[in-house]
């Protein structure tokens, strides 16, 4: 018989919210629909009007931040059924926000303004139950983020200063940057870090570290400028030797299992090579018997920007084999084709540990092709990992509510967000 204080006995999720409350939050967010940009814009305008000091913590251009807020709230609501996942996410976010200068009392202001903004825009569906759900959920968010910031403060600085000591343009839109941090920077091969350049203050983007930790402490990053590229464009086109970057704490779980005896397949597209190169560099310190095959793909031969470094590594380590491939260059004499196709032409890989890194479209296609060929999904590490959100067990229909009551509706449609099937 369950104990009376067991959350499950009271119909509570492990977070302490009722299942109906979580479903209310989920539906509230999804009903924003095409109005989400307007709602978030008003939220930030109100927040900065009431707390002007917070404006300095955000980048000049807010369009990316607005999108992040909605995606972040959706992810948090999806994790309310998963206390361990929620705590890990919010502790990490709290640590990250500490680097921006966010204080514990700022979370209270955030909560008040966000609830007031949602109440205003959703006044036709607003319930006392919905306000209570948002209040409780955001209290949990604030508490866990403050905890994360406090834990981080006990073991590491808010950020590091890292001076650029080498900046090499490998192509028109790509640079390899080497930086020297002002204090020891402990990270693992396969991780990434956020960078802020003085040319774009308060704007930060994550970049994978391209080498394993070394005694000299130098850090290597591969940066491609895509389109306007608010941060990446500045790092490629404007950054110079002597510039001092702000460096956030290392993140990410991509790694090679040292206890495995399986050979390794590594698939890198574009600057997705950076974490693959770091993992191979790390293996050079301890590997003696496991064969490693690295496929490095690009659209044109000129885009194989770090192939000489890979070939030098292969010349030193007999267990390393490198296969470059291009997709859009008919004059190229080597392997040609889309990277997943090239990989499968060389073997089935069912007995390998696999790491895949690069553009999201490429990583998804490679994952599908490899699993379709019999490679167990649990042996494939993919970077970046898509943030798929588990569907809520049930959804509350706020649009058809009557004051003081809610009505459950049936299962979600195939796309998982309540849109009709086509």
């Amino acid at each position: 018989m369950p104990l009376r204080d067991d959350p499950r006995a009271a119909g509570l999720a492990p977070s302490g919210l009722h299942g109906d409350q979580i479903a209310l939050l989920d539906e509230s967010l999804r009903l924003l629909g095409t109005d989400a940009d307007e709602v978030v814009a008003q939220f930030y305008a109100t927040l900065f009007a009431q707390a002007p000091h917070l404006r300095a913590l955000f980048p000049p251009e807010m369009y990316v931040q607005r999108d992040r807020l909605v995606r972040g709230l959706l992810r948090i609501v999806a994790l309310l059924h998963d206390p361990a996942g929620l705590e890990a996410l919010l502790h990490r976010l709290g640590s990250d926000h500490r680097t921006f200068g966010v204080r514990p009392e700022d979370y209270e202001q955030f909560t008040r303004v966000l609830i007031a903004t949602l109440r205003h825009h959703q006044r036709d569906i607003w319930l006392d139950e919905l306000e209570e759900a948002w209040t409780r959920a955001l209290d949990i968010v604030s508490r866990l983020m403050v905890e994360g910031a406090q834990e981080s403060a006990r073991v590491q600085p808010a950020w590091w200063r890292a001076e650029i000591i080498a900046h090499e343009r490998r192509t028109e839109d790509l640079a390899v940057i080497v930086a020297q941090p002002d204090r020891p920077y402990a990270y693992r091969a396969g991780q990434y870090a956020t960078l802020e350049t003085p040319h774009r203050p308060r704007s930060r983007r994550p970049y994978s570290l391209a080498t394993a930790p070394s005694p000299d402490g130098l850090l290597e990053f591969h940066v491609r400028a895509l389109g306007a590229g608010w941060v990446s464009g500045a790092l490629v086109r404007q950054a110079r030797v002597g510039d001092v970057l702000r460096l956030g704490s290392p993140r990410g779980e991509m790694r090679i299992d040292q206890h495995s005896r399986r050979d390794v397949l590594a698939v890198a597209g574009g600057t997705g090579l950076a974490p693959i190169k770091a993992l191979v560099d790390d293996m050079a310190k301890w590997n003696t018997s496991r064969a490693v095959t690295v496929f490095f793909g690009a659209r044109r031969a000129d885009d194989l920007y770090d192939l000489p470094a890979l070939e030098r590594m292969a010349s030193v380590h007999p267990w390393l084999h490198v296969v470059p491939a291009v997709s859009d260059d008919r004059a190229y004499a080597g392997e040609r084709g889309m990277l997943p196709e090239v990989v499968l032409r060389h073997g089935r890989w069912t007995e390998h540990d696999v790491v895949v890194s690069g553009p999201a479209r490429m990583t998804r296609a490679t994952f599908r092709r490899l699993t379709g060929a019999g490679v167990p999904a649990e042996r494939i590490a993919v970077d970046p990992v898509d943030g798929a959100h588990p569907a809520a067990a049930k959804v509350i229909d706020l649009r058809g509510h009557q004051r003081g009551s809610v009505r459950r509706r049936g299962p979600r449609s195939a796309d998982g967000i309540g849109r009709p099937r086509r």
Side-chain angles (χ1 to χ4, degrees), residues 206-220:
Y207 301 97
S208 291
L209 293 129
T211 57
S214 59
D216 60 18
L218 297 180
L219 309 176
E220 180 179 313

Side-chain angles (χ1 to χ4, degrees), residues 6-13 17-20:
D6 185 341
R8 292 169 296 182
L12 301 178
L17 275 74
H18 287 278
D20 279 358

Side-chain angles (χ1 to χ4, degrees), residues 29-39:
L29 285 173
R30 297 184 187 279
L31 287 178
L32 292 177
T34 57
D35 294 331
D37 285 346
E38 177 186 348
V39 173

Side-chain angles (χ1 to χ4, degrees), residues 58-94:
F58 291 84
E61 295 290 335
M62 289 291 294
Y63 62 92
V64 173
Q65 182 64 33
R66 290 197 292 265
D67 182 57
R68 284 177 177 169
L69 177 61
V70 175
R71 287 188 286 112
L73 290 172
L74 283 167
R75 188 176 183 190
I76 288 168
V77 170
L79 285 173
L80 287 171
H81 290 287
D82 175 12
L86 183 68
E87 181 176 294
L89 171 67
L90 293 175
H91 278 191
R92 183 171 69 250
L93 287 175

Side-chain angles (χ1 to χ4, degrees), residues 170 174-177 207-211 220-224 236 270-275 277 305-306:
R170 298 287 176 86
L174 190 147
V176 172
I177 297 171
Y207 301 97
S208 291
L209 293 129
T211 57
E220 180 179 313
F221 300 94
H222 299 176
V223 182
R224 183 185 296 279
V236 171
T271 53
L273 176 66
K277 184 182 176 186
Y305 66 94
D306 213 31

Side-chain angles (χ1 to χ4, degrees), residues 318-375:
W319 44 263
L320 176 61
H321 178 55
V322 177
V323 182
V326 301
S327 60
D328 298 348
D329 189 344
R330 294 183 178 181
Y332 183 65
E335 290 284 347
R336 298 216 314 263
M338 302 303 290
L339 197 51
E341 299 169 0
V342 174
V343 170
L344 287 175
R345 284 206 299 262
H346 282 255
R348 295 184 64 240
W349 312 106
T350 54
E351 301 302 321
H352 285 64
D353 290 332
V354 182
V355 289
V356 184
S357 177
R361 185 175 179 180
M362 184 280 291
T363 60
R364 288 194 295 265
T366 302
F367 183 87
R368 287 195 301 267
R369 294 296 299 275
L370 288 174
T371 53
V375 180

